[in-house]
Amino acid sequence: MQQSSRVQSQPHAGSLPPRPRFPLHLRSAAALAAALQGLIDACPRRRESQTLHAQLLTSGLGGTAELSVKLLVLHLRCGSLHNTRAVFDGMPRPTNAAHNYLAAGYFRRGLPGEALGIVRRLAASTGRLDVFALCMAMKVSAALALPGNVLVRTVAEPDEILSAALVDAYVKSGLLGYARRAHAAMPEQSAVCSTALVVGCMNEGMFRDAEAIFESMEKDLVAYNAMVEGYSKAEETAEGSLEVYKAMQRAGFRPTLSTFVSVLGACSLLSSPELGEQVHCQAIKSSLSGNMKTGSALVDMYAKCGRVEDGRRVFDHMPERNVTTWTSMIDGYGKNGLSDEALQVFGEMRRRPDVRLNHTTFLSVLSACAQAGLLSRGQEVFQSMESEYSLRFGSVHQAYDFVRGIPARPNSDVWAALLGAATLHGDMDVADVAAREVFELSRAGRPGAYMAFSNTLAAAGKWDGVHDVREMMKRRGVLKDAACSWVGSDNPPLVD
């Protein structure tokens, strides 16, 4: 009977096994790890990954934890969860990294239950969750509609570090109710955990709740700074920032860099240069006035208080300046009707090889151009964003998307800058949205915004809209400011 052709011949007894198909320079664990990382970065095809894995197995070089994790990541990059799990299961003691990578892979593929199983396995083997695994647990809880604090209790014994991390994770996810329950469930409420909850309440505008937590907790410098910063974000609460600032000093705590930056922000909102000067003096005594963050805050404070020349003196004496410092100076000149000076600083900034302009810089420059009616110059600046700096809105609508993407609610300054860009481009839709935001946030404090929107309406021939804006200005007692004239060569003036 003829033997089947599919039967392979057996090697002779004593014959040597096939040699691994690896060049000499890859026959060490370190070299292989580097080669694997290069393959991971190159996003290989699945067949290449499987071939390399097979070669590693036959060579006997793939047994280290580091190489196993890299193989696991390699299969994840190729989209093969089956091979990824095979590598994981083949590890004698899977590392934290292996657990985290596999859990993330399951979650991204829409398998939160399997991700939960891996997180629980990690907690069972280590007794706690690291930050990455905790974040994954939070995502799984949302996907499975499970309360996160219940979920975490099922995978790890709670301790002070885990509880604080859980509260912080809830706060950053905007789940303040869960954060408060997790905080209340702690046997002993640490200052770290309570401060995280204070920050969450401040972010949600729940100032009385934040005050109650702050009063009941053991206070430290971080807690005081959380209160100072929280109050400093809105004009209505800025006085509170100054009160806590004074209280922390009475309690024996010295202001830090973040304290000064927050308090100077509060002085800006209150338009109180006298208080700002006092804070400036204290920053000098603390040897923090030369810091870039403090300097930028001082420039911004003096400019918003109408003392732009004082801001310029701070700017000129700063040993170092970053993009925020330069932008604050440009913005300060623009807001005070000194558009030529704003453009001069912008020109100096562009010549600096160590400073990279960003979108906020261009919004400030565009606003300054719009304030002075420099429409052609504004067009040039807007176009240079892409041609010279590879910063692209592409259209005013993309600029609008950029503004909407700002994490905190944009203030009237941002919307006014966008209104300036929309005016320069004659974009009625964005101008309408931006103008209404400015009108809501600053009902009588920005006559230039009313003028800009009116001129945009006039350029589009919407004379009924021009009339409505003019009537709104009269009702709100908005006075036309000569420094904020938006009359351009292409737009008819607003007629009183």
Side-chain angles (χ1 to χ4, degrees):
M1 183 175 179
Q2 189 175 6
Q3 191 175 15
S4 170
S5 61
R6 286 179 294 177
V7 177
Q8 299 179 352
S9 60
Q10 298 296 320
H12 294 292
S15 63
L16 295 174
R19 295 176 64 187
R21 291 182 288 171
F22 285 96
L24 288 173
H25 70 281
L26 290 181
R27 295 188 188 176
S28 72
L32 278 170
L36 277 170
Q37 186 60 55
L39 197 57
I40 290 168
D41 295 339
C43 298
R45 292 187 295 271
R46 184 176 299 187
R47 179 171 294 181
E48 290 177 296
S49 301
Q50 291 172 333
T51 300
L52 180 60
H53 189 175
Q55 291 174 355
L56 277 170
L57 291 174
T58 57
S59 71
L61 294 173
T64 69
E66 182 185 8
L67 286 175
S68 295
V69 170
K70 288 191 179 296
L71 272 173
L72 187 150
V73 174
L74 182 64
H75 287 307
L76 275 177
R77 292 297 296 270
C78 296
S80 175
L81 279 177
H82 174 77
N83 289 328
T84 302
R85 185 59 190 254
V87 173
F88 180 86
D89 290 339
M91 297 177 70
R93 288 182 296 278
T95 63
N96 283 21
H99 282 87
N100 289 335
Y101 278 123
L102 182 57
Y106 277 133
F107 186 80
R108 282 196 295 267
R109 292 289 293 272
L111 301 168
E114 285 78 357
L116 175 58
I118 298 300
V119 173
R120 282 178 169 154
R121 179 167 169 170
L122 173 61
S125 64
T126 64
R128 67 187 318 120
L129 298 179
D130 59 20
V131 173
F132 186 94
L134 179 63
C135 291
M136 180 54 60
M138 295 290 297
K139 293 177 181 178
V140 168
S141 70
L144 297 175
L146 298 173
N149 54 340
V150 174
L151 172 62
V152 173
R153 283 202 297 269
T154 69
V155 298
E157 288 296 323
D159 59 19
E160 180 179 330
I161 296 175
L162 177 60
S163 297
L166 181 60
V167 171
D168 185 59
Y170 278 134
V171 167
K172 290 178 178 176
S173 301
L175 301 171
L176 193 57
Y178 283 145
R180 299 187 72 157
R181 285 196 284 274
H183 177 261
M186 291 181 64
E188 295 184 11
Q189 295 170 352
S190 68
V192 174
C193 201
S194 296
T195 301
L197 192 56
V198 166
V199 172
C201 290
M202 283 290 192
N203 290 344
E204 296 296 322
M206 301 168 63
F207 298 106
R208 290 187 179 178
D209 295 62
E211 291 160 3
I213 297 166
F214 179 73
E215 290 301 322
S216 66
M217 67 181 286
E218 182 180 348
K219 300 171 185 62
D220 59 10
L221 181 59
V222 178
Y224 273 108
N225 277 339
M227 294 292 289
V228 170
E229 182 182 357
Y231 281 133
S232 71
K233 293 179 179 179
E235 184 178 347
E236 296 78 9
T237 57
E239 288 278 4
S241 181
L242 296 170
E243 291 301 318
V244 177
Y245 173 65
K246 290 185 283 188
M248 71 180 289
Q249 294 177 84
R250 288 196 298 268
F253 292 102
R254 295 184 62 183
T256 64
L257 174 63
S258 63
T259 315
F260 285 123
V261 171
S262 296
V263 174
L264 287 168
C267 294
S268 299
L269 290 172
L270 294 170
S271 297
S272 177
E274 295 79 13
L275 291 173
E277 281 183 329
Q278 295 179 37
V279 178
H280 188 178
C281 290
Q282 290 178 314
I284 293 172
K285 291 178 182 178
S286 301
S287 301
L288 291 173
S289 61
N291 182 277
M292 279 195 294
K293 289 185 178 179
T294 308
S296 299
L298 283 166
V299 170
D300 185 66
M301 183 274 296
Y302 280 123
K304 286 181 177 175
C305 292
R307 290 175 41 177
V308 67
E309 289 307 316
D310 288 333
R312 182 58 191 256
R313 277 191 286 274
V314 173
F315 179 85
D316 288 340
H317 285 89
M318 289 179 66
E320 291 183 275
R321 308 182 192 112
N322 61 10
V323 63
T324 303
T325 316
W326 286 91
T327 302
S328 295
M329 195 69 253
I330 294 168
D331 199 50
Y333 275 132
K335 285 185 175 63
N336 284 275
L338 301 170
S339 299
D340 289 340
E341 287 84 348
L343 290 169
Q344 181 183 4
V345 175
F346 177 61
E348 294 175 19
M349 185 182 183
R350 294 175 73 173
R351 292 190 291 271
R352 301 277 305 203
D354 57 330
V355 181
R356 176 71 178 173
L357 284 68
N358 59 25
H359 287 97
T360 306
T361 307
F362 280 99
L363 284 172
S364 296
V365 177
L366 288 170
S367 180
C369 291
Q371 289 277 3
L374 303 175
L375 303 186
S376 60
R377 186 63 190 275
Q379 292 275 12
E380 293 173 6
V381 170
F382 201 86
Q383 291 166 3
S384 73
M385 291 178 64
E386 181 180 358
S387 61
E388 296 182 40
Y389 299 96
S390 300
L391 293 173
R392 182 175 182 180
F393 286 141
S395 67
V396 176
H397 281 273
Q398 288 187 329
Y400 172 55
D401 291 339
F402 166 76
V403 172
R404 288 183 61 198
I406 296 174
R409 185 187 180 187
N411 60 23
S412 62
D413 294 341
V414 175
W415 287 111
L418 181 62
L419 175 57
T423 300
L424 291 169
H425 280 258
D427 192 313
M428 273 299 308
D429 293 335
V430 175
D432 181 66
V433 174
R436 295 185 190 287
E437 290 286 346
V438 175
F439 298 161
E440 179 185 347
L441 293 168
S442 184
R443 297 180 65 85
R446 286 190 174 274
Y450 291 87
M451 301 288 287
F453 190 41
S454 176
N455 286 343
T456 305
L457 290 166
K462 298 182 178 294
W463 299 107
D464 289 342
V466 172
H467 175 76
D468 291 342
V469 172
R470 188 164 60 242
E471 290 300 313
M472 186 189 302
M473 293 175 70
K474 291 178 180 178
R475 288 197 307 272
R476 295 182 176 181
V478 180
L479 299 176
K480 187 170 71 172
D481 187 345
C484 296
S485 174
W486 287 67
V487 178
S489 59
D490 298 325
N491 291 336
L494 178 67
V495 179
D496 290 325

